Amino acid sequence: MTLATGTTRLATLQDEPPAASPGGPADPILVVDHLTMRFGGLTAVGDLSFKVGRGDITALIGPNGAGKTTVFNCITGFYKPTEGMIRLAQAGGETYLLERLPGHDVNRLARVARTFQNIRLFPQMTVLENLLVAMHKPLMRASGFSLAGILGLPVYRRAQEEAIAKAAGWIARIGLTHRADEPAGDLPYGDQRRLEIARAMCTDPVLLCLDEPAAGLNPRESADLNTLLRMIRDEYGTSVLLIEHDMSVVMKISDRIVVLDYGIKIADGTPEEIRNDTRVIAAYLGVDDEEVAAVEAEVGLVGTSAGITA
């Protein structure tokens, strides 16, 4: 029954143009253009196009299996898309086609950083050491790939002091100064999530991709996450693209939301537009648009959304 319903709805989505508010971001930092990712005969993402505004927080949402993490993997170099273009434009004018870059250059040159659904800290290393790992490459260059570090030359000492100061600053921003020398694996879950975001920020990204950063957080920790992401956007000018299922996070902090279902974009707009989109409600409830309309009419909710409130 579920498979038949899903197949019918997928065909419908492919026939209908996605909802979108006019204009879109005026100054996009990331343009995903006709992205398609196939695994054998399975199309995980089909002809997807959207933009991430410079200095915006953009959310990529959708039911489980909608293709959100596949999109992230294409953007960050873990997958090479079957078709399409992913263009990142830095403020200085440099433009990178991410699908053509080796995976490590997506971070090194294009300055795109990411976190994962599952926390990937080094649990036996201290909080400070986890952040210093993110600055390994500049430290290695300063050390002359070991010689200057072994001899303790001034060029390496300066780089090391700068890295420690930068790490200490981020530790203070996430409220973990008192635990800087403790193993990261001993931290509460919410602190580990924030530490992982801080580690990504230590690479000085222009685009920060977060895969379900609020997963497993309680309401207080989710509020702390909202504060952290706003600070990253407002104080550092870093654009944020996040996958998230927690609508209390998505609706409160997002400037724009893109909705996927079965690898197809079904909506693209502001939080208010997405909240009132019947196709989005249908995707989350797992029913057809006609059924949603019938229920809304029956209970007097035509034009509103009871299913996707924050």
Side-chain angles (χ1 to χ4, degrees):
M1 177 68 73
T2 302
L3 180 59
T5 301
T7 303
T8 302
R9 292 188 53 238
L10 177 57
T12 302
L13 295 177
Q14 291 173 326
D15 291 340
E16 298 177 14
S21 60
D27 180 23
I29 186 172
L30 181 75
V31 177
V32 176
D33 193 18
H34 299 290
L35 177 68
T36 296
M37 186 69 206
R38 298 189 185 95
F39 299 95
L42 173 66
T43 301
V45 178
D47 197 28
L48 173 65
S49 298
F50 70 92
K51 299 177 181 179
V52 175
R54 194 179 309 278
D56 283 354
I57 297 177
T58 303
L60 186 63
I61 69 171
N64 287 328
K68 305 181 296 296
T69 297
T70 299
V71 173
F72 257 39
N73 287 339
C74 291
I75 292 171
T76 55
F78 286 82
Y79 294 159
K80 295 301 179 186
T82 309
E83 299 173 12
M85 182 177 68
I86 307 169
R87 185 174 71 251
L88 183 134
Q90 295 182 357
E94 301 92 342
T95 300
Y96 297 93
L97 297 178
L98 301 186
E99 77 279 4
R100 298 185 183 181
L101 290 178
H104 62 278
D105 279 342
V106 172
N107 176 258
R108 185 177 68 89
L109 296 178
R111 296 171 59 194
V112 177
R114 75 170 290 178
T115 64
F116 297 83
Q117 290 182 19
N118 298 318
I119 292 174
R120 298 197 181 183
L121 296 171
F122 298 98
Q124 303 306 319
M125 297 175 67
T126 67
V127 170
L128 176 63
E129 289 168 342
N130 266 275
L131 296 193
L132 292 176
V133 165
M135 295 174 275
H136 173 73
K137 286 235 171 169
L139 285 172
M140 284 298 294
R141 286 195 297 269
S143 74
F145 297 93
S146 74
L147 185 59
I150 293 172
L151 298 177
L153 297 182
V155 64
Y156 177 72
R157 290 203 305 270
R158 283 195 300 271
Q160 187 178 45
E161 289 167 2
E162 290 171 2
I164 291 173
K166 184 176 184 178
W170 273 107
I171 290 172
R173 284 194 172 277
I174 60 176
L176 293 177
T177 300
H178 62 295
R179 307 194 70 168
D181 295 321
E182 296 181 20
D186 291 348
L187 296 177
Y189 187 81
D191 289 344
Q192 291 189 34
R193 281 284 184 190
R194 294 200 308 280
L195 177 60
E196 195 170 43
I197 293 172
R199 184 176 64 181
M201 285 301 296
C202 282
T203 65
D204 296 323
V206 297
L207 177 65
L208 178 64
C209 299
L210 306 175
D211 197 346
E212 298 191 28
L217 302 187
N218 61 40
R220 181 187 62 79
E221 290 169 335
S222 292
D224 290 343
L225 174 67
N226 289 352
T227 301
L228 176 62
L229 296 186
R230 288 193 187 101
M231 181 271 291
I232 287 171
R233 176 192 62 187
D234 298 338
E235 296 187 22
Y236 288 83
T238 302
S239 306
V240 178
L241 176 63
L242 73 152
I243 294 171
E244 190 50 67
H245 288 288
D246 186 340
M247 291 298 107
S248 68
V249 172
V250 170
M251 293 297 175
K252 286 178 182 176
I253 68 170
S254 300
D255 298 295
R256 195 167 190 87
I257 301 173
V258 178
V259 189
L260 299 185
D261 193 23
Y262 293 103
I264 305 295
K265 184 173 76 172
I266 62 171
D268 183 351
T270 66
E272 187 61 29
E273 291 167 339
I274 298 302
R275 182 183 286 116
N276 294 319
D277 192 299
T278 56
R279 298 182 72 197
V280 178
I281 302 168
Y284 272 91
L285 294 180
V287 297
D288 292 330
D289 293 357
E290 293 78 6
E291 295 178 66
V292 175
V295 172
E296 286 183 339
E298 187 174 324
V299 298
L301 290 176
V302 176
T304 67
S305 166
I308 315 181
T309 54

